[in-house]
Amino acid sequence: MEEADKGISRPETIPEVGEDAASTVSLSATSLTEEEQEELRNELAKVEDEIQTLSQVLAAKERHVAEMKRKLGITPLNELKQNITKGWQDVTTSTAYKRTSETLSQAGQKATAAFSTVGSAISKKLEDVRNSPTFKSFEEKVETLKTKVSNQPSTGDFDEVLNSTASASAMDPKPEEAPADRQGAR
């Protein structure tokens, strides 16, 4: 902290990318000796040159990779597909995915059991309704009506009665009103 208080200041301008930082340093703003400043300028110039060289090498290698991929027929779409496949494989092998999958499986099994229980309860309730005295009375009235309409004795099966009544209604065309009846009704 003492060095910061001794008057070491930062340059007023910050060099932009590609600007030579060594040339923007103010000589009077530092408490370094002339030798130390020269040594730092030289080191800074070397590092900047290395960075530029590495950037050029990286760009050349990227071009080389692109050329090799083109020759191999590897398209960006193929790479995307491979990345997605690998990503999905990584997800499915993760602990979190496995736990979630197990939890959802258990929830599905419990839901299936609950629906089965509800279905059984509904079936039992419908059976109770069918065996109730009110329903039996209704069933007898429908059978009596069927016997009167079709003049055929019933076997007592409610489903048969409903089906035969429905088919009889579908076969019997509704009589059209006679033209004389229509005029008389006016």
Side-chain angles (χ1 to χ4, degrees):
M1 287 303 272
E2 288 181 23
E3 289 180 22
D5 295 337
K6 287 184 182 178
I8 298 177
S9 64
R10 296 179 180 248
E12 291 182 19
T13 60
I14 297 175
E16 296 292 324
V17 175
E19 185 178 352
D20 186 10
S23 66
T24 61
V25 174
S26 169
L27 298 178
S28 63
T30 63
S31 63
L32 299 174
T33 66
E34 188 70 33
E35 249 178 51
E36 291 172 331
Q37 289 179 0
E38 188 61 34
E39 187 179 316
L40 284 175
R41 275 192 219 103
N42 289 338
E43 187 178 343
L44 179 61
K46 284 180 186 177
V47 171
E48 286 177 337
D49 286 343
E50 288 176 8
I51 290 171
Q52 186 169 3
T53 302
L54 290 172
S55 295
Q56 291 169 349
V57 169
L58 179 61
K61 288 194 179 279
E62 286 175 341
R63 285 190 299 272
H64 185 64
V65 164
E67 181 64 23
M68 288 188 302
K69 285 181 178 179
R70 185 188 61 77
K71 287 179 180 179
L72 289 172
I74 299 173
T75 65
L77 182 60
N78 289 342
E79 285 185 273
L80 179 63
K81 287 178 184 177
Q82 289 174 347
N83 289 342
I84 289 173
T85 301
K86 184 174 183 333
W88 180 247
Q89 184 179 11
D90 291 345
V91 166
T92 58
T93 57
S94 72
T95 305
Y97 178 84
K98 288 178 181 177
R99 284 188 202 145
T100 303
S101 178
E102 289 170 8
T103 302
L104 290 175
S105 176
Q106 290 172 358
Q109 291 170 354
K110 289 179 181 178
T112 300
F115 286 134
S116 177
T117 302
V118 168
S120 297
I122 291 172
S123 294
K124 184 179 181 324
K125 193 66 171 175
L126 288 174
E127 187 64 32
D128 291 347
V129 167
R130 192 166 190 181
N131 292 331
S132 71
T134 304
F135 190 81
K136 292 287 186 188
S137 172
F138 175 72
E139 188 176 27
E140 289 172 4
K141 288 179 182 176
V142 171
E143 287 178 23
T144 304
L145 179 63
K146 188 231 178 209
T147 304
K148 288 180 181 176
V149 170
S150 66
N151 291 329
Q152 295 178 353
S154 173
T155 60
D157 186 321
F158 183 69
D159 291 330
E160 177 190 322
V161 171
L162 286 178
N163 289 336
S164 66
T165 304
S167 63
S169 297
M171 288 184 179
D172 292 340
K174 292 187 178 182
E176 294 289 324
E177 288 183 24
D181 289 341
R182 278 190 230 145
Q183 290 175 357
R186 289 186 189 167

